[in-house]
Amino acid sequence: MLWHKLIGFAILSLVLTQLELVQSDVPASGCRNNFSLAAGKCLLVTNSYYNWYEADRHCRSLGAGLLSIQNQTQLQQIEQWIAVKAPWVLDFWTSGNSLGQTGAYYWQSTGELARYLPWSPSQPQTKNGDCLVLESNKYSTAGYSDFRLSNKNCTHFGPHICEQQQQKYNTRICLKPGSYENAQVLA
């Protein structure tokens, strides 16, 4: 009976010696590819000027979508992030649009109806267009602030903010290469 326990212990020891810690390509923040963590999302500001369609395509090429905003707390955190990353940029494309249904706005990146719409004064102006920008309503020597939503023609050019979902795990345990073959030979 002791020899069964010894063999079991030997096999377990062999398997454990073949384990190694492997770092994934997700840094500790959970954000990839130059994205930074803000408002529970991985965000990237792009100062290249694209129309809304090109901005959406650009974000998708990065494994992301254009920015969506769910609530006031998230908007405040995004504003603080903008103050650091792009204090002198006046407005940014978001994923919000009313394409296909006038008067109802959806977040293109999530497909959800936009329930939180912090409009700039005198907005929305549906005659201005179907796509939403996050636009500053206040200027100071420190940069732009007090961002709110406005609608623009989707073919206008402007910078944009991409968002990725934060990755939850950044390490994993794997067998060392060749471990499976070694275990088969010993068995």
Side-chain angles (χ1 to χ4, degrees):
M1 182 78 87
L2 181 61
W3 65 275
H4 288 300
K5 290 181 181 178
L6 259 159
I7 290 175
F9 181 74
I11 290 173
L12 179 62
S13 297
L14 177 64
V15 168
L16 291 176
T17 60
Q18 295 299 313
L19 293 178
E20 68 178 31
L21 187 62
V22 178
Q23 290 293 333
S24 73
D25 58 350
V26 181
S29 71
C31 299
R32 299 179 182 194
N33 304 329
N34 299 322
F35 283 73
S36 57
L37 185 60
K41 301 177 180 202
C42 297
L43 301 178
L44 175 71
V45 66
T46 303
N47 289 322
S48 299
Y49 279 60
Y50 295 117
N51 66 41
W52 185 88
Y53 304 100
E54 293 167 336
D56 182 58
R57 191 169 34 251
H58 176 253
C59 290
R60 290 184 186 281
S61 75
L62 300 173
L66 282 169
L67 177 68
S68 63
I69 304 164
Q70 273 61 48
N71 55 53
Q72 183 177 2
T73 302
Q74 193 176 71
L75 176 59
Q76 290 169 342
Q77 293 170 353
I78 291 168
E79 285 181 347
Q80 292 168 356
W81 176 81
I82 289 172
V84 172
K85 295 291 185 178
W88 302 108
V89 181
L90 178 62
D91 60 14
F92 305 91
W93 285 121
T94 71
S95 72
N97 69 75
S98 64
L99 297 168
Q101 189 171 357
T102 304
Y105 291 90
Y106 289 85
W107 296 117
Q108 181 80 11
S109 59
T110 65
E112 296 174 353
L113 179 66
R115 299 189 195 294
Y116 176 69
L117 294 166
W119 293 111
S120 290
S122 73
Q123 290 291 329
Q125 295 286 330
T126 55
K127 68 180 187 295
N128 291 348
D130 294 318
C131 295
L132 299 183
V133 294
L134 190 59
E135 176 179 69
S136 171
N137 286 291
K138 189 175 181 183
Y139 169 78
S140 72
T141 55
Y144 293 105
S145 61
D146 188 30
F147 284 86
R148 300 286 179 254
L149 293 173
S150 296
N151 48 346
K152 276 191 175 179
N153 185 308
C154 304
T155 59
H156 285 161
F157 287 86
H160 59 281
I161 297 174
C162 298
E163 75 175 29
Q164 280 181 341
Q165 291 302 314
Q166 184 180 3
Q167 302 297 308
K168 301 294 182 200
Y169 306 102
N170 65 348
T171 58
R172 60 183 182 255
I173 296 178
C174 299
L175 286 173
K176 291 181 182 176
S179 299
Y180 181 71
E181 292 80 14
N182 291 342
Q184 282 183 330
V185 171
L186 293 174

